């Protein structure tokens, strides 16, 4: 189905969005200043790549998939929060979106740090959290990203 922008309210063509995944988290002012001169050690992580679709007026979409599939990244792009690194995304009118289920999580903390923080808020001791952390990490399905902020 070839839909033109005049019929569609959202058109994504070969949309791609990437993030920088830093190998070492900067924790002090000194490290931040030194990294400005040395350059940061990071790799590009493509959260979305080659995504194409269109949504016509009156249609509704749902985006489902496993953790790390790019659902929230796509919704942030549609909402105008993230710009495309490649391809194009055109949105006409206003878009209302629910941007994820991350309520209560601190985006500047790693997944592991968020587990400890939320466990402490719920009244668990450090040893109680540690005894449950492996199943929590497995359930979250974040793999190597559990220690990324």
């Amino acid at each position: 189905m070839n839909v033109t922008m005049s019929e569609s309210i959202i058109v994504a063509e070969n949309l791609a969005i990437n993030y920088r995944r830093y190998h070492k988290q900067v924790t002090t002012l000194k490290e931040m200043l030194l990294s400005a001169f040395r350059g940061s050690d990071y790799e590009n992580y493509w959260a979305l790549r080659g995504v194409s679709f269109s949504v016509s007026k009156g249609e509704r979409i749902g985006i489902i998939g496993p953790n790390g599939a790019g659902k929230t990244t796509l919704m942030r792009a549609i909402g105008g929060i993230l710009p495309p690194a490649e391809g194009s995304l055109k949105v006409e009118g206003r878009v209302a979106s629910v941007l994820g289920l991350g309520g209560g999580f601190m985006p500047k903390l790693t997944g592991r740090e968020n587990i400890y923080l939320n466990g402490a808020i719920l009244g668990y001791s450090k040893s109680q959290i540690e005894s449950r952390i492996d199943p929590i990490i497995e359930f979250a399905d974040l793999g190597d990203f559990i220690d990324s902020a």
Side-chain angles (χ1 to χ4, degrees):
M1 175 177 173
N2 194 359
V3 180
T4 64
M5 188 61 191
S6 61
E7 299 168 337
S8 299
I9 58 170
I10 303 172
V11 176
E13 293 180 3
N14 206 25
L15 178 65
I17 296 176
N18 69 329
Y19 295 99
R20 288 181 175 178
R21 183 172 173 205
Y22 291 90
H23 297 288
K24 183 176 184 252
Q25 189 172 359
V26 175
T27 57
T28 67
L29 180 60
K30 179 182 175 183
E31 288 175 344
M32 184 173 65
L33 292 172
L34 288 174
S35 69
F37 293 107
R38 282 188 271 169
S40 297
D41 187 22
Y42 68 89
E43 62 184 283
N44 281 321
Y45 171 74
W46 291 93
L48 296 175
R49 201 163 213 183
V51 175
S52 299
F53 66 94
S54 64
V55 180
S56 297
K57 188 173 183 175
E59 288 183 321
R60 289 164 183 82
I61 61 170
I63 302 169
I64 58 174
N67 286 341
K71 302 176 299 290
T72 300
T73 298
L74 178 59
M75 294 307 294
R76 287 178 177 162
I78 292 170
I81 297 168
L82 292 174
E86 295 175 357
S88 66
L89 178 65
K90 296 177 183 159
V91 179
E92 286 189 7
R94 293 184 294 170
V95 176
S97 61
V98 178
L99 290 178
L101 303 173
F105 289 92
M106 303 294 294
K108 296 211 181 244
L109 299 179
T110 67
R112 187 179 309 276
E113 290 166 339
N114 268 296
I115 292 169
Y116 280 99
L117 175 63
N118 281 281
I121 289 170
L122 293 171
Y124 291 105
S125 69
K126 185 176 180 184
S127 63
Q128 289 174 310
I129 297 167
E130 287 172 351
S131 71
R132 294 172 171 90
I133 198 162
D134 289 336
I136 293 169
I137 291 170
E138 184 178 337
F139 176 79
D141 194 29
L142 294 175
D144 293 340
F145 294 95
I146 193 67
D147 292 310
S148 297

